[in-house]
Amino acid sequence: MTKFLIRRIIFLVGTLFAVSIAVFAISELAPGDIAVNVLGNTITPDQRTSFNAQNGLDQPVVTRYVRWMFGSDWQASALIGNSLTKVYDADENRTKWWAVAEDNVVFYNKTPDGETMYRVERTIQPDGKLGESREIELGDDVWTVNDAGDKIFWGVDEDGRAAMWVRGAAQEEQRLTKAGWISIAGAPSAYIPLQSGLIRGDPGVSFITRSPVIETLWPRLKNTLLLAGIAFAFIMPLALLFGIIAGLNEGRGLDRFLSITSLVATATPEFASGVFLIVIFAVWLGLFPGAVVIPPGTSIFDRPEMLVLPVMTLTLIELGYVLRVTRASMIEVMRANYIRTAVLKGLPYFRIVFRHALRNALLAPITVIMLHVNWLVGGIVVVETLFGFPGLGSYVLTSALNTDIFALEAATMVLVIIAVLTQLLADIIYVYLNPRIRYT
Amino acid sequence: MTTAETTAGATLPAPAASEPSRWKKIKEGLSFFSRSKVALAGLILVGFWVLIALFADNCLITPRCYVGMVQGDDITQWATSEEYQSWLSRYSPVEQFRGRNREGPSADHWLGTDTRGRDIWARLAHGSRSILTLAPISVIVALIVGGTLGLAAGYFGGLIDEVMMRILDAIISFPQILLYLVIIAALGASATNVVLAITIAGAPGIARLVRGLALDIKTRDYIAAAQTRGESPWYIMFVEILPNARGPIIIDSMLRMGYAVFSIGTLGFLGLGLPPPSPDWGSIVQAGRSAIQAGRPWEALWGSIAIAMVVVGLNLIADGLAEESQRYR
């Protein structure tokens, strides 16, 4: 069992890496320019080059993948010679990277003219806030000579990127601010955008919203897990119950009715059944709200009736599939020889069903339910979009539509990890429930 | 059950000396629908929309209309041309009736009008075309790709099989909707990309199925005979194995056809389908969604019903087929 688990986990990690490469490749190599997409199609070539350099988009794909997956701070840290850290700046209301000078003192570098380097230091106060800034002029000896003979300096710039300044190069930086495009003198010649990498839980900073993806992703994930969890809690018992009833009444009217109804319910796309439910329950009967609106400062729990229709839609689509598997499994078990023996022995019918048949009949549906999480993910994207539910599904869709690649990649990876983990769980449960199977 | 068994027994092909005529084959195929009520219901649902798609306008007798369809999803060019005549659709799908926005069903407009005052019935009738052509095309392309991969993996075995199946397993472990989203978001929304996305998502499943069948069939004597004759592996795969594996593949394709319609509709609903003004069913639902809460649910409602009809119909046919094949076993 341990051996099987280890092999499965190694395979799982391999799959996840393959998936991450695929996701990255598809979304990054796609036609279309991120700079144009973010800044609009009126930008000049200069502005685009500057944007690409600042965000590391001018680098080869492999470099960008490594930075996205494993982070870039360790590369930059080696060049700068100081360790780097993320600090929340209350003034700017954002978290950015700083170089660490000594205990509780962080700094960034700047140069007004490309000749004199300055270090701007700030102290981290005990309450986590940043203290007053203090400018220190650095001497000539901070410049080092590189292979090409240029005098260079690696540091962290004002925006929290690792940057390389070249002495005497009158580099300009194009930057879009609230006041429009400005060009800043004394800008670095090369940049490494800092991130600690997906593997360490940092999927990067969104190009569109300019805030770390993890901050927007996490609350969405919690909402989605809540929705899916509630739906699961309804689907499981209902589908198993109806499946067993249908299986026990094989060929009779009740079975026909349950089978056909569940087929129709499962075949109907989520958005169609969702529209039917909204029209019936929200518009005509006015029983439940047809959309999920969560004003800031409130939670879903303040108005739980908003969840009724989304959960119902998910239940409809998932119910049929599990029901049919349970039914088929129940029919098969009831035809087995040991059930016939139990019947001939004169055991009461309910005892046969509950003590003898049920355990074996539930084997198939339970694993199928776990394997069906992939399908549930699809349902969640559609249902969340239809009802305006602020979850991971609608997050994936909006980031795909806006080509917000870091957000799209992160959300995709989270959903794939969930899917793959449940598949592993299904395997383990299957082995546990079925003593005839022993993986080695 | 008992009646079904007796009829099934009666129609078992008798050992005839000559090949049955084509007419007889068709008749046998149709008699399947009279045996299975479920399949018949499915046939009616799908057949309705096939008829509508064929006779929505005079496209069948006007070759020029195909050019517009092939060149892009721009239906305006064809629907505003002089040759255009509405048949079953009653109105042009792009004609806007002024001042009649978002009306409910009436004698003039059987299903009502949409946000721009276009006749919903005309839009649905024309929209049936794209969905009823794209779904079979994408399933056939997925069948060709997946079938070839599965046959090769199953027949050759060994390292090819192992590597191929690991890769396909990885694709299968990927939620399909994400595959669609990532592909369409990266490549843009168009008919070709919809087919591409459905092929990539569907081919691994088909490959798995075909591989399983090929593994079983390649142990038969007639394969050994063909190998002794010195036939090439590709001949054996496509001429000996594939025709003998057709039963499960046909049932699977029927299910996949339903799923392809499902997916095309979903893509349209998510705003990733055929670009406007194409009367894509999913996009119709998407456009009408915001008006539901305002008490004008017609556009979204009819669009949903149309898609549900086709998907449910295809699934019912597949279900009937599956039941039928189990009966013979």
Side-chain angles (χ1 to χ4, degrees):
Chain A
M1 185 69 191
T2 327
K3 221 173 167 184
F4 158 74
L5 259 183
I6 292 172
R7 223 181 53 190
R8 273 303 310 252
I9 289 171
I10 291 173
F11 178 63
L12 189 146
V13 173
T15 311
L16 284 179
F17 264 105
V19 167
S20 77
I21 292 173
V23 170
F24 189 83
I26 299 175
S27 46
E28 301 260 333
L29 299 181
D33 196 326
I34 296 171
V36 173
N37 190 35
V38 173
L39 304 171
N41 52 11
T42 55
I43 56 171
T44 64
D46 272 0
Q47 290 164 346
R48 171 201 265 155
T49 317
S50 192
F51 176 86
N52 282 345
Q54 286 171 45
N55 292 291
L57 294 172
D58 53 348
Q59 297 293 316
V61 179
V62 178
T63 317
R64 274 156 60 196
Y65 175 76
V66 169
R67 284 179 184 172
W68 172 67
M69 195 72 206
F70 304 102
S72 56
D73 53 337
W74 45 275
Q75 295 172 332
S77 177
L79 289 166
I80 295 169
N82 296 74
S83 62
L84 303 169
T85 184
K86 275 188 281 191
V87 180
Y88 176 72
D89 186 348
D91 301 339
E92 291 187 43
N93 186 25
R94 62 178 255 201
T95 308
K96 65 180 186 187
W97 286 86
W98 299 75
V100 181
E102 56 208 70
D103 285 347
N104 293 330
V105 177
V106 293
F107 68 91
Y108 65 85
N109 302 92
K110 66 172 187 181
T111 171
D113 51 4
E115 288 291 338
T116 326
M117 285 307 304
Y118 287 90
R119 165 193 274 203
V120 182
E121 282 190 352
R122 297 186 77 173
T123 319
I124 303 178
Q125 289 166 349
D127 57 352
K129 285 183 183 158
L130 289 171
E132 287 301 306
S133 63
R134 195 155 56 93
E135 283 192 17
I136 302 168
E137 194 179 325
L138 298 174
D140 271 357
D141 51 330
V142 295
W143 298 99
T144 51
V145 180
N146 70 356
D147 297 341
D150 293 326
K151 288 187 170 173
I152 57 162
F153 175 82
W154 274 100
V156 176
D157 79 349
E158 204 178 338
D159 254 8
R161 287 181 291 252
M164 184 186 81
W165 283 270
V166 176
R167 191 171 194 182
Q171 194 76 27
E172 283 192 353
E173 178 182 293
Q174 303 271 352
R175 199 183 287 173
L176 185 64
T177 64
K178 280 174 188 152
W181 282 97
I182 53 165
S183 113
I184 296 160
S189 306
Y191 303 86
I192 300 178
L194 291 172
Q195 60 190 83
S196 44
L198 194 63
I199 238 175
R200 285 187 284 157
D202 175 17
V205 176
S206 157
F207 286 123
I208 310 283
T209 60
R210 286 270 137 217
S211 61
V213 169
I214 194 82
E215 284 176 14
T216 47
L217 188 102
W218 182 237
R220 296 294 198 106
L221 178 63
K222 281 196 286 191
N223 283 345
T224 290
L225 288 180
L226 177 74
L227 178 65
I230 295 176
F232 231 72
F234 274 98
I235 295 163
M236 284 270 275
L238 275 183
L240 293 180
L241 179 70
F242 285 133
I244 290 167
I245 292 176
L248 290 177
N249 294 295
E250 190 206 349
R252 296 198 200 130
L254 186 61
D255 171 40
R256 296 297 288 171
F257 172 75
L258 282 174
S259 300
I260 305 274
T261 321
S262 64
L263 177 75
V264 171
T266 300
T268 313
E270 301 92 345
F271 64 88
S273 39
V275 165
F276 298 151
L277 289 176
I278 295 179
V279 169
I280 294 171
F281 288 103
V283 179
W284 288 345
L285 299 179
L287 285 177
F288 308 110
V292 179
V293 184
I294 305 176
T298 61
S299 83
I300 304 172
F301 298 107
D302 295 340
R303 289 184 64 200
E305 72 270 19
M306 285 189 304
L307 283 173
V308 172
L309 290 183
V311 167
M312 241 175 170
T313 315
L314 280 177
T315 309
L316 266 188
I317 192 99
E318 292 297 312
L319 190 69
Y321 187 78
V322 182
L323 191 154
R324 285 169 80 83
V325 174
T326 316
R327 172 183 175 271
S329 165
M330 195 71 200
I331 289 172
E332 203 186 313
V333 168
M334 288 306 279
R335 283 184 188 153
N337 285 335
Y338 73 92
I339 297 290
R340 186 180 302 160
T341 313
V343 175
L344 292 178
K345 221 160 68 172
L347 289 181
Y349 184 66
F350 281 98
R351 198 182 154 90
I352 296 172
V353 171
F354 286 106
R355 290 286 301 272
H356 297 248
L358 213 53
R359 191 177 157 159
N360 279 308
L362 290 185
L363 214 57
I366 283 178
T367 46
V368 158
I369 290 169
M370 302 303 271
L371 292 174
H372 214 52
V373 166
N374 268 353
W375 192 279
L376 189 67
V377 168
I380 277 179
V381 173
V382 174
V383 167
E384 286 183 1
T385 312
L386 179 65
F387 290 94
F389 184 86
L392 200 57
S394 49
Y395 186 81
V396 172
L397 180 67
T398 25
S399 33
L401 290 176
N402 296 333
T403 358
D404 190 349
I405 50 166
F406 280 153
L408 176 63
E409 286 161 358
T412 310
M413 285 310 291
V414 168
L415 288 172
V416 172
I417 289 171
I418 292 175
V420 176
L421 279 184
T422 47
Q423 280 160 22
L424 177 69
L425 203 60
D427 281 358
I428 296 171
I429 292 177
Y430 196 70
V431 176
Y432 180 74
L433 283 181
N434 191 348
R436 281 170 299 185
I437 293 178
R438 281 287 170 262
Y439 290 105
T440 45
Chain B
M1 268 296 151
T2 47
T3 54
E5 267 159 21
T6 49
T7 46
T11 50
L12 270 178
S18 62
E19 281 279 300
S21 70
R22 181 174 294 169
W23 173 241
K24 215 171 170 185
K25 272 186 183 167
I26 295 174
K27 219 168 132 186
E28 219 167 80
L30 286 180
S31 75
F32 150 69
F33 286 107
S34 64
R35 277 199 305 277
S36 164
K37 272 184 204 151
V38 175
L40 183 67
L43 185 73
I44 293 173
L45 288 174
V46 179
F48 172 76
W49 283 110
V50 172
L51 278 182
I52 299 293
L54 286 176
F55 301 108
D57 55 33
N58 57 342
C59 198
L60 268 186
I61 55 164
T62 322
R64 224 178 65 83
C65 111
Y66 298 105
V67 181
M69 297 263 172
V70 173
Q71 269 175 353
D73 314 304
D74 187 14
I75 194 160
T76 322
Q77 198 190 343
W78 155 244
T80 50
S81 66
E82 283 181 6
E83 290 131 290
Y84 176 85
Q85 282 172 355
S86 297
W87 284 358
L88 288 180
S89 72
R90 301 181 76 224
Y91 298 104
S92 149
V94 290
E95 188 181 350
Q96 303 186 2
F97 296 90
R98 280 168 174 268
R100 307 201 60 170
N101 301 352
R102 287 191 170 162
E103 280 185 6
S106 64
D108 283 350
H109 301 284
W110 288 346
L111 302 185
T113 51
D114 71 358
T115 358
R116 291 162 183 266
R118 295 173 296 199
D119 187 72
I120 296 179
W121 169 244
R123 305 222 9 110
L124 287 181
H126 283 86
S128 64
R129 280 188 187 158
S130 57
I131 215 157
L132 288 176
T133 30
L134 285 183
I137 290 176
S138 44
V139 171
I140 288 168
V141 176
L143 262 179
I144 294 171
V145 176
T148 312
L149 290 178
L151 276 176
Y155 183 72
F156 292 122
L159 191 66
I160 300 180
D161 182 32
E162 186 69 22
V163 171
M164 223 182 253
M165 281 302 128
R166 285 288 86 80
I167 295 174
L168 294 180
D169 277 351
I171 301 181
I172 290 177
S173 74
F174 207 92
Q176 292 205 337
I177 190 99
L178 293 179
L179 219 51
Y180 295 146
L181 277 181
V182 173
I183 292 173
I184 301 281
L187 302 180
S190 75
T192 328
N193 292 342
V194 167
V195 173
L196 184 74
I198 292 176
T199 304
I200 294 179
I206 296 175
R208 242 192 196 178
L209 174 77
V210 175
R211 171 182 173 268
L213 294 167
L215 279 179
D216 176 29
I217 292 173
K218 85 171 176 186
T219 58
R220 305 283 166 86
D221 286 341
Y222 54 82
I223 302 296
Q227 282 166 338
T228 325
R229 281 206 308 273
E231 303 286 7
S232 78
W234 297 103
Y235 176 87
I236 296 176
M237 274 190 253
F238 285 97
V239 184
E240 302 281 352
I241 298 182
L242 193 59
N244 287 299
R246 67 176 185 277
I249 297 178
I250 291 173
I251 295 175
D252 183 64
S253 313
M254 217 57 191
L255 275 174
R256 276 178 198 283
M257 199 87 90
Y259 190 66
V261 174
F262 189 115
S263 308
I264 296 171
T266 303
L267 283 174
F269 172 75
L270 295 178
L272 301 164
L274 308 179
S278 155
D280 182 42
W281 284 359
S283 315
I284 291 177
V285 179
Q286 163 72 15
R289 183 170 69 106
S290 53
I292 300 179
Q293 295 285 333
R296 307 211 166 277
W298 302 113
E299 200 180 350
L301 191 61
W302 298 127
S304 300
I305 289 177
I307 291 193
M309 274 173 77
V310 174
V311 186
V312 168
L314 287 168
N315 272 280
L316 288 177
I317 296 176
D319 200 51
L321 275 176
E323 217 163 76
E324 192 74 5
S325 72
Q326 270 174 5
R327 221 166 261 162
Y328 284 126
R329 216 169 270 164

